[in-house]
Amino acid sequence: MPTARAAGRTAGAAGKAAVRLGAVALAGVLLAACGGSPDGASDSAGGEVTLTVDLFGSFGYQESGLYAEYEKLHPGVTIKQTDTEDEADYWKSLQTRLAGGGGLADVQAVEVGRIASVAQQQADRFEDLRKHGADKLKSQFPEAKWTAATGKNGEVLGLGTDVGPEAMCYRSDLLAAAGLPTDREELARKWSTWDGYLDLGRQYKAKAPAKSAWLDSVGSLYSVMIGQQKERYYDASGKLIWDTNPALKTAWDTSVTAAHDGLSAKLDQWSPQWNQAFTAGSFATLPCPAWMLGYIKGQAGDAGKGKWDIAKLPGGAGNWGGSYLTVPRAAKHKKEAYELIAWLTAPAQQARLFQKQGSFPSATAAIGQIAGATDPYFSGAPIGSIFGDAAKAAPVQVLGVHDQSVAQQITNALGEVERKGTDPEAAWANARKGVENTIG
Amino acid sequence: MTLTAPTTTGPRAVSPPPALRRAWRKASPYAYLAPFFTLFAAFGLFPLLYTAFVSLYRVELQTPGEMEWRGLGNYTALLGDSYFWTALRNTFTIGVLSTVPQLVMALGLAHLLNYRLRGRTFFRTAMLLPYATSVAAATLVFAQLFGRDFGLVNVVLGLVGIDPVDWQTGTVASQVAVSTIVIWRWTGYNALIYLAGMQSIPRELYEAAEMDGASRWRQFWHVTLPGLRPTIVFTVVVSTIGATQLFGEPLLFEGSVSGGISHQYQTLGLYLYEQGWGFFHLGRAAAIAWVMFLLILLVVGANALIVRRRSRKEAGR
């Protein structure tokens, strides 16, 4: 726990310096051994600048042609992107590179679940964007998005990209095959509560096509439900409250019920099996934050076009995820990197990205611009209003340093209940042990 | 000075003064060895000692400036850490599951390859192919094969009426799957080492055995195996070290640092990685690294002891 560590005895200043040096060397050696460092080399000979951008998941800058346009607007700038699928993997390699101070990209994406760690623990490793004039962008963003990336001394450490208003994505062809309604309004009425959603799930299971489940995994059910809460793992004072938080318990119990009733396809999100299941039609519904739309399009491909649809989420509005673009202090081209992220996160570009990729804008002005947007891939669903309403009603969440790690332990424990039939009490105890092991 | 003049006398065009030459002759082996030891000091010894130092502190990757002295705390914590014991047990079971069949199969294959076969070179080269494949590529392919819903293994099992096995989730199933990858990669490699060992066994022994009317099986049992003993000891030691450090296969099998949702196939190497690079507890990870190092020394030492006792027994016979 952070408090216990601060109270403990610390080594002398000289020892500290020596250790930091050693840690750097150690990290460097291990990094070299893993061979996982992306190419950080960028040359600026003759006014030419190569900006490296390190992302995770599907941001869609490349796919929507934003890089190409930026390069056209700024002759001499070339943008190179590296992209890791799994958020946890990119964070590991980022931490290693930050500790070593080498191999860092000019632009680094950070997930909202990690931004508290950046703001509270690592403000000295990221560029204070006020130096480049980020102050005047403040009015572009909602208060909460802006303050989450603000350090103790007012440093501006990142600019908000998207947010994650939640909805429910579903396969209308599978629902029709099981004799359920496929109209998004009607479904939203039927699953206005989570109980209603589970009820429909049981009906689906009774008549479903073979090898098809109601939901991809109870982990995603839990994640989207916890996204409807203001306080999740920490309370507003920064205390860890996950194991006494009644809202978390409700999300856990609902997920356990779904697992016991056999409503899920028992997949692990982001695993290869999960990816394959998109084309195989292994599940009928998938709780989807706005950024998931790009992922679905990528995995289900052209064959899925028109089969998918989107309805309002059961149980009210919520937010899951959303990201920031930062500039590491060790980046080679800090000024140019700032100019790029300021452009990428400007309302016009955020609005375009939503049209193309589904990532819901965090810039206030962009939200107005996209209110009428629909998406042909998702049967023409009015994504602008569905996600716009959710974004307006979603709670402003309390963020903590270990949010992501605690969430991972709970999702693992739910996986045990779902896939191994572990007793929920035992699984909860495992989650608690896992959290202690992670944080301690 | 000239007392130990070189015994080979003869005309030399240019020769350095004897003293210098003698000094060089004494020093040259060390000079030739120096690059290795310099590299070892930089990339072997220093990290080893530095790891020992770090293992005595509480250090987090995000805040390396805040070091808190823990003494042996990181080590004693391991004793009460059920994840550590799980990892130790998994390392052992996966080690046995992979090493034993691997070496037995390698012996059999080497024995077959030792006969005159058509296309012998082809088979010998083919044996090395799995070893030449990268761990990542091999593991990703196997992870697909062992997929629960669409994996080929389950499809084949389904043909003979066996229900699909969840290779990732079950404890035994996942360990068998991980071991299969290890076996696939290393059997050929060990078979070639055995083959090399077999070829140093004198042919006359086989001819004599054949004349005595020994079957091929008896030849294998009474001529090949005893002749191969030093080679077998070598492969056992190397495989044991490899099994203790097993890392890439379980890591990539599901892409999870925790070795499955309930740590069911997490090895010591993976637990070290999870602590250091999943949770960023560098001090604790360093302690695990040292425990692993000591374990390997212990296992190798025990191995050597057994071998020495056996060979002494042989000599006494």
Side-chain angles (χ1 to χ4, degrees):
Chain A
M1 306 259 257
T3 42
R5 195 187 314 144
R9 207 146 40 109
T10 51
K16 254 188 236 175
V19 163
R20 195 176 295 164
L21 199 72
V24 166
L26 188 69
V29 167
L30 281 161
L31 192 66
C34 301
S37 85
D39 181 20
S42 57
D43 34 272
S44 53
E48 297 278 317
V49 173
T50 301
L51 289 175
T52 51
V53 179
D54 188 34
L55 308 175
F56 56 86
S58 313
F59 274 71
Y61 292 135
Q62 197 134 40
E63 293 84 341
S64 55
L66 287 180
Y67 291 151
E69 185 176 340
Y70 189 82
E71 287 170 349
K72 211 186 276 172
L73 292 171
H74 298 79
V77 173
T78 313
I79 300 170
K80 270 207 305 203
Q81 172 187 300
T82 49
D83 200 346
T84 311
E85 191 161 291
D86 192 330
E87 196 274 339
D89 289 338
Y90 107 93
W91 180 249
K92 276 197 296 270
S93 85
L94 171 63
Q95 288 304 318
T96 316
R97 282 179 280 142
L98 281 174
L104 285 157
D106 296 303
V107 172
Q108 177 64 56
V110 173
E111 217 265 345
V112 64
R114 313 283 190 186
I115 199 71
S117 172
V118 168
Q120 292 171 30
Q121 295 181 317
Q122 304 189 300
D124 57 335
R125 290 181 186 169
F126 289 89
E127 184 78 349
D128 181 358
L129 301 177
R130 286 181 302 182
K131 267 192 250 170
H132 305 281
D135 275 338
K136 57 177 191 288
L137 301 179
K138 188 171 179 194
S139 60
Q140 281 184 16
F141 295 93
E143 180 73 20
K145 189 78 181 170
W146 186 264
T147 43
T150 305
K152 281 192 281 280
N153 307 316
E155 306 99 321
V156 176
L157 300 164
L159 297 179
T161 57
D162 60 325
V163 286
E166 300 170 334
M168 185 65 75
C169 294
Y170 63 93
R171 286 271 302 261
S172 31
D173 59 329
L174 292 178
L175 259 61
L180 292 178
T182 57
D183 177 62
R184 56 184 87 91
E185 302 287 334
E186 195 182 345
L187 280 172
R189 265 196 310 279
K190 289 206 157 167
W191 66 40
S192 67
T193 63
W194 283 111
D195 284 339
Y197 173 78
L198 294 189
D199 270 343
L200 275 185
R202 286 177 205 111
Q203 292 174 32
Y204 179 83
K205 196 187 169 197
K207 287 203 268 173
K211 290 192 173 177
S212 175
W214 177 236
L215 156 88
D216 68 319
S217 70
V218 299
S220 70
L221 175 61
Y222 165 81
S223 300
V224 81
M225 282 186 78
I226 201 71
Q228 296 172 318
Q229 302 305 321
K230 183 177 188 309
E231 290 188 337
R232 300 170 298 171
Y233 309 112
Y234 290 80
D235 69 7
S237 72
K239 209 176 90 192
L240 257 183
I241 52 155
W242 71 276
D243 61 343
T244 53
N245 184 353
L248 197 152
K249 185 83 175 117
T250 308
W252 169 275
D253 288 341
T254 309
S255 308
V256 166
T257 308
H260 279 172
D261 293 354
L263 300 184
S264 85
K266 305 185 181 184
L267 294 158
D268 187 16
Q269 283 203 302
W270 318 115
S271 70
Q273 277 82 9
W274 189 63
N275 290 342
Q276 285 172 324
F278 278 93
T279 39
S282 303
F283 50 81
T285 65
L286 172 66
C288 55
W291 46 259
M292 189 78 90
L293 304 191
Y295 198 85
I296 294 175
K297 287 176 189 170
Q299 292 302 330
D302 287 340
K305 188 172 179 177
K307 288 182 181 162
W308 287 87
D309 206 331
I310 308 173
K312 268 167 90 174
L313 188 73
N319 182 80
W320 173 3
S323 298
Y324 289 85
L325 291 180
T326 68
V327 179
R329 192 162 278 187
K332 288 207 182 69
H333 309 290
K334 293 196 265 268
K335 189 173 140 290
E336 292 85 350
Y338 171 75
E339 284 162 7
L340 173 64
I341 67 172
W343 186 82
L344 284 175
T345 56
Q349 277 65 253
Q350 290 206 12
R352 269 179 55 192
L353 201 59
F354 178 70
Q355 303 276 12
K356 193 82 187 164
Q357 199 69 12
S359 304
F360 195 83
S362 62
T364 332
I367 300 178
Q369 291 175 28
I370 48 117
T374 57
D375 193 328
Y377 189 95
F378 291 90
S379 315
I383 52 173
S385 62
I386 291 178
F387 288 111
D389 291 349
K392 271 177 226 145
V396 175
Q397 286 160 342
V398 176
L399 302 178
V401 173
H402 292 296
D403 275 353
Q404 215 68 303
S405 307
V406 178
Q408 182 65 54
Q409 294 300 325
I410 297 176
T411 324
N412 267 357
L414 280 173
E416 289 190 279
V417 177
E418 179 186 36
R419 286 153 64 186
K420 300 181 95 169
T422 307
D423 176 55
E425 296 285 318
W428 180 263
N430 286 349
R432 188 196 310 276
K433 212 169 71 175
V435 170
E436 280 160 12
N437 193 34
T438 307
I439 293 176
Chain B
M1 277 292 168
T2 48
L3 274 175
T4 53
T7 46
T8 47
T9 50
R12 273 198 199 94
V14 195
S15 68
L20 209 66
R21 203 171 54 220
R22 210 181 41 187
W24 169 243
R25 194 186 297 155
K26 262 192 176 155
S28 60
Y30 299 104
Y32 290 131
L33 284 173
F36 169 76
F37 280 100
T38 319
L39 281 177
F40 175 73
F43 296 105
L45 195 63
F46 170 72
L48 193 71
L49 296 179
Y50 184 73
T51 308
F53 169 74
V54 167
S55 71
L56 303 176
Y57 287 87
R58 181 195 285 272
V59 202
E60 305 288 302
L61 185 68
Q62 277 118 333
T63 51
E66 296 168 28
M67 293 198 57
E68 184 193 328
W69 172 255
R70 284 199 80 186
L72 292 176
N74 281 327
Y75 291 92
T76 49
L78 282 183
L79 294 179
D81 178 355
S82 63
Y83 293 119
F84 171 75
W85 291 109
T86 309
L88 187 64
R89 199 175 55 233
N90 290 346
T91 309
F92 178 75
T93 49
I94 296 178
V96 172
L97 275 176
S98 58
T99 308
V100 175
Q102 180 195 132
L103 295 185
V104 171
M105 275 161 55
L107 257 181
L109 284 171
H111 184 62
L112 292 180
L113 281 179
N114 203 20
Y115 288 117
R116 292 191 185 286
L117 288 176
R118 207 183 283 268
R120 200 162 52 166
T121 323
F122 167 76
F123 286 115
R124 288 180 185 176
T125 317
M127 297 288 257
L128 258 188
L129 277 182
Y131 172 66
T133 321
S134 86
V135 196
T139 308
L140 291 177
V141 170
F142 272 88
Q144 297 278 331
L145 292 180
F146 282 112
R148 184 196 59 190
D149 297 330
F150 312 106
L152 192 63
V153 177
N154 275 348
V155 170
V156 172
L157 286 182
L159 292 181
V160 284
I162 299 175
D163 283 339
V165 178
D166 192 345
W167 293 103
Q168 263 95 11
T169 309
T171 307
V172 179
S174 61
Q175 296 198 0
V176 167
V178 170
S179 303
T180 310
I181 310 172
V182 181
I183 293 173
W184 181 79
R185 280 197 74 221
W186 290 92
T187 302
Y189 171 86
N190 283 310
L192 285 195
I193 291 183
Y194 286 145
L195 184 61
M198 284 174 187
Q199 300 196 328
S200 67
I201 300 173
R203 282 236 67 89
E204 301 85 68
L205 287 179
Y206 288 99
E207 282 159 14
E210 216 159 297
M211 280 214 274
D212 290 345
S215 66
R216 285 196 162 170
W217 173 244
R218 288 193 71 104
Q219 288 176 25
F220 175 73
W221 203 246
H222 291 288
V223 181
T224 312
L225 272 190
L228 269 188
R229 180 162 301 135
T231 320
I232 293 175
V233 169
F234 171 77
T235 55
V236 166
V237 169
V238 170
S239 303
T240 311
I241 295 177
T244 318
Q245 296 179 330
L246 191 64
F247 174 74
E249 288 86 349
L251 175 67
L252 295 167
F253 182 52
E254 220 181 344
S256 107
V257 284
S258 46
I261 42 176
S262 40
H263 305 257
Q264 67 270 22
Y265 58 91
Q266 185 172 46
T267 57
L268 280 176
L270 209 50
Y271 188 49
L272 184 164
Y273 183 70
E274 187 187 33
Q275 284 294 333
W277 267 252
F279 306 153
F280 311 124
H281 304 319
L282 293 187
R284 226 191 280 177
I288 302 171
W290 259 87
V291 170
M292 276 175 73
F293 177 63
L294 295 178
L295 271 176
I296 292 178
L297 286 188
L298 206 77
V299 170
V300 172
N303 242 316
L305 214 69
I306 294 170
V307 171
R308 196 191 298 166
R309 189 171 299 166
R310 275 212 71 140
S311 50
R312 203 174 288 160
K313 229 190 241 164
E314 299 273 305
R317 228 191 268 169

